[in-house]
Amino acid sequence: MEKWMVYQEIHRLKNLGFSNSKIAKKLKISRNRVIEYLSMTPEEFTEFIASLQNRTKKLDPYKDDIMIWLKEHPDMSSSQIYDWLQDKLDVKSVAENTVRNYVNDLREKYHIPKETVARMYGTVEELPMGKQMQVDFGETFVYMDSGQRKKLYLAGFILSHSRFKYVEWLDRPLRTADLIKMQENAFQYFGGMTEEIVYDQDRLLAISENAGDLILTESFTKYHETRRFKIYLCRKSDPESKGKIEQVIKYVKNNFAKHRIYKDLISWQQSSLKWLKRTGNYKVHHNIKKRPFEVHALEKQHLQKVNGNYIFENISSINITRKIHKDNVIRFEGNRYSVPLGTFQNGGENIAYVSLAGEALSISLHPNGNPIGTHKLSKEKGKVITDPTHRQRSQTKREKLAEQVMKKLADMEDSNWLIKTLHKQYPRHTIDQLKVVLKAVEQYPLHIDNAVKEMKRLGLTSANDLRDIAISLEIQNSKQLPKKELINEKYKDITAPERNQDIYLQVLQGGK
C-alpha cells in the first residue's frame, strides 16, 4: 500500500512539472527509483509489487546484521556496510551496487534517513607517475569496549597518480620523530619515494614558510638532507593543493574508523592495513576509474629507490610542539604544565616547543631557545603541574610608581600614609595622583618632605594639595632670604668725576 502511495505521488508531482531530482528530494527517495516508477504503467507496477512479495534477495540472510548497524549508526554509508560485510561476515559474493540498493530499500522501509554533510574540494591536474606524494594528518574519536571514547591520531599518505594509500595511527599527538618514522614506513609500503612530497603547514616539520624560503625544524632538516626529496608546503585551508589527501583522511575516518570498536593500537593498525588492501586500495577510484593497487603496480617502477634505513638517533626531541592555553599551561601526555603568567598572548601564535631529557620536561618559545619552564614529567594523568615562580604576579604600574615615591621621600611612615591616602581617595586614579607626587618631588625637592607633613596635619587627601603646599613653602622660603643689592652691570665700572665747590657756587649765583 505504501509503495502504491509513493507511485501515485511521483506521477502527480511529475504532472505538476517537478523534475526527477526535485521529486526525489521532496519524497526523500533515490532519483533512480523515481525514474523506475515513472517508466511503469499502473498494470506493470501491480505486477512489480506482486513479484516483490515472493522474491528473495541475496542479502536477506544478512538483513538482521545490517539493520543492527543502521539502527546503531544511522549515518553509516552503504560503502562502509559493504566493507563491514566483507570484514565481519566474510561476504564476498555481492557487488557494491547490490549492497547500496538493498540498504536504500531498508532505509525507506524502516524510515532510517541518512545524514549527509556536504563538502567542496578543488581539483588539480593529473600528475605523472612517481612525481608526487601528499601527506596530511587527522584525529578522530572512537569507542572502546567499555563504552569510553578514545582519541586517535593518524597520518595519511597517497601517491597522487595512482591514488595508492597508506595510513598509520597513534594514540597520542604526533611528534616529528613519529612523522619521519611513518613516512619511512610509507616508502616501504609504496616501494619507493616520489620526487615531490606535499605537506600541510605543520610545526612537526616547518617552523616558518618565510615567504617561500622554508625554515624546517632541526630534526626534519637532518631527515630532508638525507632523503633529498622536494618539499611543497601548501597554504592553510587550501584544498586545491592537497585535495587528494584530504579526501583520504575523510575516507579513512568515515569508512574505516567510524563505529569501529577500539581494543589496542596494534590490532587497530593491523585492521587498518587489511582495510587498505580490501577497500582503500582495491575499490575503483571515482576519478581515475581504476583500482589504485593496479595503477600502483605500474607507478612503482617510477618511484625512486630508498637506500638504507634512516638513523633515528639523529632525531631531536625539541620539535615537539604544544599550544599555550589562555590559563598559561600546555598539555602534554594527559597532564597540564604551567608556563609563566603572561606567556599567552591574545592574537599570538601561542606555540611552545617541548623537549624531553630523562624525566625532565623543558618548555621554550623557540626551537633551541632558552627554557621558560622546566618540570618533572608526571607519570599520572589529569594533573596540573605548576612551578610556583610561574604564578608570581609581576609588578603593576601603580606598584612601581608607589615604590618610586617611597624611595624619593625621607620619612617611611609619611610615605606609607601618603600612598594609602591617595589610593583610598582615588582608587581609579591612583596612578595619576602618584605621577603628580613624583613631579612635585622633582620640582620642589627641598620642601616636599615638609609638604607631606603639612598635608597630613591639615588632613588633605590630594596630590594636587601636596604640590600646592610645596609651592607655598617655596614662596615663603624665598621671602625670608636677605635681599641682595642689585648692580647694573652696564655701569659698574663707571667712576663719578670730582669737581671743585666753587663751580657749584658759581652756578647758584647765575654764572656759567
Side-chain angles (χ1 to χ4, degrees):
M1 189 66 184
E2 182 181 350
K3 290 186 181 298
W4 264 110
M5 293 176 63
V6 173
Y7 174 82
Q8 292 172 350
E9 186 65 13
I10 288 174
H11 281 269
R12 187 184 72 83
L13 293 173
K14 190 65 176 178
N15 291 333
L16 292 176
F18 282 79
S19 66
N20 295 345
S21 298
K22 293 290 185 181
I23 295 173
K25 187 174 181 180
K26 185 175 181 63
L27 299 181
K28 296 181 180 180
I29 59 177
S30 69
R31 181 173 174 272
N32 288 340
R33 187 180 174 191
V34 172
I35 296 172
E36 182 183 5
Y37 280 17
L38 287 172
S39 66
M40 297 183 189
T41 64
E43 292 76 15
E44 290 172 337
F45 190 74
T46 302
E47 293 177 4
F48 170 70
I49 294 296
S51 67
L52 291 178
Q53 296 175 354
N54 300 320
R55 187 176 66 180
T56 59
K57 296 183 179 180
K58 191 178 266 189
L59 288 173
D60 280 345
Y62 313 105
K63 176 182 175 181
D64 292 341
D65 296 285
I66 296 174
M67 284 299 298
I68 291 172
W69 298 339
L70 287 175
K71 287 179 179 179
E72 288 183 356
H73 316 295
D75 58 341
M76 203 170 190
S77 66
S78 299
S79 177
Q80 189 175 16
I81 290 176
Y82 177 64
D83 181 69
W84 279 27
L85 285 169
Q86 298 176 77
D87 183 30
K88 299 178 182 296
L89 303 179
D90 199 29
V91 178
K92 308 290 187 183
S93 58
V94 294
E96 187 172 357
N97 281 340
T98 303
V99 176
R100 183 178 296 109
N101 294 332
Y102 190 78
V103 170
N104 288 340
D105 287 340
L106 289 181
R107 287 188 180 280
E108 180 184 342
K109 182 176 181 180
Y110 295 100
H111 306 289
I112 309 175
K114 183 178 182 295
E115 300 174 3
T116 58
V117 178
R119 185 175 180 181
M120 296 181 64
Y121 292 94
T123 58
V124 294
E125 61 183 40
E126 293 298 331
L127 297 171
M129 294 184 181
K131 175 66 177 179
Q132 185 189 88
M133 178 176 81
Q134 295 187 5
V135 183
D136 203 2
F137 312 98
E139 53 189 53
T140 187
F141 282 97
V142 297
Y143 284 93
M144 299 186 290
D145 289 327
S146 61
Q148 293 181 324
R149 292 205 314 166
K150 183 172 184 62
K151 192 174 187 179
L152 294 182
Y153 303 82
L154 73 147
F157 305 82
I158 185 173
L159 297 177
S160 294
H161 178 82
S162 63
R163 306 314 202 264
F164 196 70
K165 311 165 194 67
Y166 175 72
V167 177
E168 194 162 330
W169 296 84
L170 270 182
D171 55 1
R172 56 168 174 75
L174 276 69
R175 305 169 185 171
T176 304
D178 299 320
L179 168 61
I180 295 173
K181 289 178 181 178
M182 289 176 171
Q183 186 161 300
E184 287 291 298
N185 292 339
F187 291 160
Q188 295 298 321
Y189 190 80
F190 292 152
M193 179 179 67
T194 56
E195 176 185 333
E196 176 186 74
I197 301 180
V198 176
Y199 298 95
D200 198 357
Q201 284 192 10
D202 196 286
R203 290 188 174 272
L204 293 174
L205 57 101
I207 299 170
S208 172
E209 194 173 6
N210 195 28
D213 296 325
L214 297 182
I215 302 176
L216 302 177
T217 59
E218 176 189 357
S219 296
F220 207 81
T221 297
K222 293 178 180 178
Y223 176 61
H224 181 246
E225 288 173 352
T226 302
R227 292 299 183 219
R228 296 193 175 279
F229 48 83
K230 182 181 178 182
I231 293 177
Y232 181 90
L233 193 65
C234 63
R235 297 179 181 273
K236 294 181 179 180
S237 302
D238 182 12
E240 293 188 356
S241 298
K242 53 183 175 59
K244 298 181 182 71
I245 190 61
E246 281 203 346
Q247 293 188 42
V248 169
I249 297 299
K250 177 186 175 183
Y251 186 31
V252 172
K253 287 182 182 180
N254 292 335
N255 193 284
F256 170 73
K258 201 170 187 179
H259 310 311
R260 188 178 293 268
I261 301 300
Y262 176 86
K263 293 180 181 178
D264 58 74
L265 188 62
I266 295 176
S267 62
W268 185 269
Q269 180 63 30
Q270 290 174 347
S271 297
S272 177
L273 293 175
K274 291 179 181 178
W275 174 86
L276 284 171
K277 185 176 181 180
R278 181 182 65 247
T279 300
N281 289 324
Y282 181 80
K283 288 179 60 177
V284 174
H285 194 274
H286 64 282
N287 280 342
I288 63 175
K289 307 303 180 185
K290 298 175 183 177
R291 301 184 191 275
F293 86 95
E294 294 175 343
V295 186
H296 171 254
L298 300 174
E299 185 175 19
K300 187 176 180 180
Q301 304 171 29
H302 297 266
L303 297 176
Q304 301 175 21
K305 298 301 179 184
V306 178
N307 299 320
N309 295 321
Y310 183 71
I311 303 174
F312 289 96
E313 286 73 13
N314 289 337
I315 297 175
S316 168
S317 61
I318 191 65
N319 294 297
I320 306 171
T321 58
R322 288 295 181 271
K323 178 182 178 182
I324 302 172
H325 296 268
K326 63 181 179 182
D327 52 351
N328 290 286
V329 297
I330 66 162
R331 297 180 184 274
F332 187 79
E333 295 186 353
N335 295 306
R336 288 175 286 171
Y337 295 86
S338 68
V339 294
L341 286 178
T343 303
F344 175 85
Q345 298 292 324
N346 286 325
E349 284 191 318
N350 295 311
I351 296 294
Y353 294 82
V354 179
S355 63
L356 294 173
E359 295 186 354
L361 179 74
S362 180
I363 307 170
S364 306
L365 292 180
H366 303 282
N368 303 317
N370 294 324
I372 60 172
T374 304
H375 299 276
K376 182 178 180 181
L377 198 64
S378 175
K379 296 181 180 179
E380 300 180 74
K381 301 293 182 183
K383 299 295 182 181
V384 180
I385 295 86
T386 304
D387 184 340
T389 61
H390 290 170
R391 296 299 177 252
Q392 291 178 356
R393 187 169 56 86
S394 58
Q395 272 191 321
T396 64
K397 187 173 183 179
R398 183 183 67 82
E399 290 170 339
K400 291 179 180 178
L401 291 173
E403 185 177 334
Q404 293 178 35
V405 170
M406 293 286 289
K407 291 179 180 179
K408 297 289 185 180
L409 299 180
D411 193 309
M412 184 70 69
E413 183 180 346
D414 288 346
S415 301
N416 283 326
W417 171 85
L418 176 62
I419 293 169
K420 289 180 180 179
T421 299
L422 295 178
H423 182 60
K424 181 179 179 180
Q425 188 67 22
Y426 303 96
R428 294 177 55 196
H429 300 88
T430 306
I431 292 176
D432 297 326
Q433 288 285 306
L434 292 174
K435 287 181 178 179
V436 173
V437 172
L438 290 173
K439 188 69 174 177
V441 170
E442 182 184 341
Q443 292 178 335
Y444 312 105
L446 299 177
H447 306 288
I448 195 66
D449 290 311
N450 290 331
V452 174
K453 293 183 182 297
E454 185 66 12
M455 175 182 173
K456 185 176 181 181
R457 185 185 71 79
L458 296 173
L460 301 177
T461 58
S462 170
N464 292 315
D465 293 333
L466 174 66
R467 180 198 57 207
D468 293 343
I469 294 173
I471 293 173
S472 178
L473 292 175
E474 174 78 10
I475 293 172
Q476 291 178 15
N477 184 68
S478 64
K479 288 181 178 179
Q480 294 172 2
L481 292 175
K483 293 184 179 179
K484 296 181 180 180
E485 185 176 355
L486 299 178
I487 300 175
N488 192 323
E489 296 292 329
K490 182 178 179 180
Y491 303 109
K492 66 179 181 178
D493 295 327
I494 297 177
T495 304
E498 294 183 3
R499 293 184 177 89
N500 195 309
Q501 293 180 358
D502 295 339
I503 294 174
Y504 296 103
L505 292 173
Q506 185 177 356
V507 171
L508 292 173
Q509 294 173 359
K512 295 182 178 178

